[in-house]
Amino acid sequence: MELIASLTSPFARKIRVILEEKQLPYILHESIPWDADTDVGNYNPLGKVPALVDGGKTWIDSAVIAEFLETKESELSLIPKDPLKAVEVKHAEALADGICEAAINIFLERKRAPELQSQAWIERQQGKINNGLKYLNDLIGQKEFICHNTYSLGDIAVVCLMEWYSFRLPEHDWELEYPELARYCNHLGERVAFQSTRPE
Ligand SMILES: N[C@@H](CCC(=O)N[C@@H](CS)C(=O)NCC(=O)O)C(=O)O
């Protein structure tokens, strides 16, 4: 398998963590979608990472790729076989990914020339982040894992989100505001798959 990814993308990191956790061999094809000479468009018409090539077929979107990887033989299952439990895990993933999209919107907006930046847009995105983080913090509470007392794709999505948020928007001291979420992320972040994929 060949994974088209940039090393800082939180969505691509989800897939790198899954591949490590499932011990599935792959080739990392590094490509930064924002670079002028990026080749991401050869793999994804939307010009986004991640994309995954396997057996002549190319898959796009981290949620789709995560589901595809579940079809591969591995001792570790990250999406439950039970349909309702699977939806609950994907719900947690969608929540984390949605918060991540809002955070990326702020990150990109801040890269624009100051006179072009919209404070109203930034505040709108920050509202989604704050509501989402409070929801996650309450959902996780004292638990070790977000769903069903079992490590899953939902946990991977949340840790990739929070570590990206700390990495790119460090001015928000969320660990103080959301202590349950912080405890949970710090604990899970010790797993080798997170350590070996952490952006510098
Ligand atoms: N829903 C997509 C989002 C992927 C995404 O937004 N990737 C960003 C990098 S973090 C990207 O490639 N952006 C380039 C662009 O939007 O043109 C997924 O989960 O894979």
Side-chain angles (χ1 to χ4, degrees):
M1 283 188 286
E2 183 180 2
L3 177 68
I4 294 73
S6 73
L7 295 183
T8 54
S9 162
F11 301 111
R13 188 173 177 218
K14 258 166 68 184
I15 304 307
R16 289 162 62 218
V17 170
I18 293 170
L19 289 162
E20 298 282 334
E21 293 284 17
K22 287 181 171 285
Q23 297 189 1
L24 297 170
Y26 71 102
I27 294 162
L28 179 67
H29 176 130
E30 213 179 321
S31 195
I32 299 172
W34 305 107
D35 283 357
D37 62 350
T38 183
D39 61 355
V40 170
N42 295 340
Y43 302 92
N44 182 352
L46 305 179
K48 296 185 180 196
V49 290
L52 184 86
V53 183
D54 183 52
K57 204 165 162 55
T58 304
W59 302 96
I60 63 159
D61 196 283
S62 61
V64 172
I65 297 170
E67 218 165 328
F68 170 69
L69 291 176
E70 221 38 39
T71 68
K72 296 280 176 190
E73 206 168 301
S74 162
E75 282 181 11
L76 180 72
S77 168
L78 291 168
I79 302 176
K81 300 277 176 281
D82 176 82
L84 181 58
K85 286 187 171 174
V87 174
E88 283 165 352
V89 164
K90 288 184 208 164
H91 180 255
E93 181 193 25
L95 186 63
D97 286 359
I99 298 169
C100 209
E101 278 165 19
I104 290 172
N105 284 343
I106 293 181
F107 178 70
L108 294 178
E109 186 72 6
R110 291 223 185 114
K111 282 189 158 190
R112 282 150 59 92
E115 65 277 14
L116 294 177
Q117 292 182 25
S118 161
Q119 198 49 38
W121 172 251
I122 290 176
E123 279 165 20
R124 186 176 171 86
Q125 304 308 314
Q126 192 63 55
K128 295 177 198 295
I129 296 170
N130 296 348
N131 291 338
L133 296 188
K134 181 172 182 336
Y135 185 97
L136 277 181
N137 192 65
D138 293 346
L139 186 64
I140 289 162
Q142 301 296 319
K143 293 186 289 188
E144 188 179 356
F145 304 113
I146 197 161
C147 295
H148 322 120
N149 280 325
T150 310
Y151 182 54
S152 73
L153 171 62
D155 299 304
I156 294 174
V158 173
V159 176
C160 288
L161 153 70
M162 296 318 301
E163 292 197 358
W164 185 88
Y165 191 52
S166 294
F167 172 62
R168 288 301 199 196
L169 299 169
E171 62 278 13
H172 186 178
D173 199 352
W174 64 270
E175 298 210 5
L176 268 183
E177 244 171 291
Y178 310 106
E180 312 291 11
L181 183 57
R183 173 201 53 75
Y184 157 93
C185 285
N186 289 332
H187 176 63
L188 282 178
E190 287 170 7
R191 294 180 74 92
V192 174
F194 288 111
Q195 289 184 28
S196 63
T197 56
R198 193 160 279 141
E200 298 284 325

